[in-house]
Amino acid sequence: MSDSKAIAIKLLVALVVIPLFSSLLLLFVDITVWIVAMWVMPTDMLVENSLSLVAIGLHWGQFISMMAAMSLALLPIACVIFCASQLTEHPLLVLFVAITLVKFISYMLFDSMAIGTWLNKVSNLAFNILTSNHPWQTLTSVGMVTLLGLLVLSAGIFKTSVHLRSSD
């Protein structure tokens, strides 16, 4: 298997397959709760608590939508981690130190927290999407230029990761 396919499959599993599997678990739990509720609750309470197949479908759709937004937000981070893992045995530690150094050095050089603030906004994007009532608005809150830049950066880092993996 080629190096690009191996890395692409890892990204696909992490950013698509796992969220889809999680959504199926959510769907199973929602349906189970609905079936049990139908046995033990009167009909008016089912309606009052929004326990119906339509509500289950809406809940599942919202979850899928949120997972899609999170996957897009996590794509650049995943690509950076894959690239760093080709260079070191401790990619998360290296990335944590590197981000901290970039924030510190940028503050010392420019006397501004703008770069650190931007890094925080991008690195916290997936969590903010998870905790938001409007995941797609949260995703686009970083700006379309930033999102496009992150996607282009992801492609470049993916290529770099493939190159580093093939040179091992």
Side-chain angles (χ1 to χ4, degrees), residues 68-88:
M70 283 183 60
S71 291
L72 284 174
L74 288 171
L75 178 62
I77 295 169
C79 288
V80 167
I81 291 171
F82 276 123
C83 191
S85 71
Q86 302 304 314
L87 300 170
T88 179

Side-chain angles (χ1 to χ4, degrees), residues 46-119:
L46 289 173
V47 172
E48 183 180 317
N49 291 307
S50 298
L51 292 172
S52 67
L53 283 177
V54 172
I56 290 170
L58 287 173
H59 186 229
W60 184 73
Q62 289 171 339
F63 185 81
I64 289 287
S65 177
M66 181 179 56
M67 289 295 109
M70 283 183 60
S71 291
L72 284 174
L74 288 171
L75 178 62
I77 295 169
C79 288
V80 167
I81 291 171
F82 276 123
C83 191
S85 71
Q86 302 304 314
L87 300 170
T88 179
E89 291 183 17
H90 307 289
L92 294 177
L93 179 62
V94 168
L95 289 174
F96 175 75
V97 170
I99 288 172
T100 303
L101 284 175
V102 166
K103 288 178 185 180
F104 179 72
I105 290 170
S106 69
Y107 178 73
M108 297 302 289
L109 289 176
F110 306 117
D111 196 29
S112 170
M113 295 292 292
I115 293 173
T117 301
W118 183 82
L119 282 172

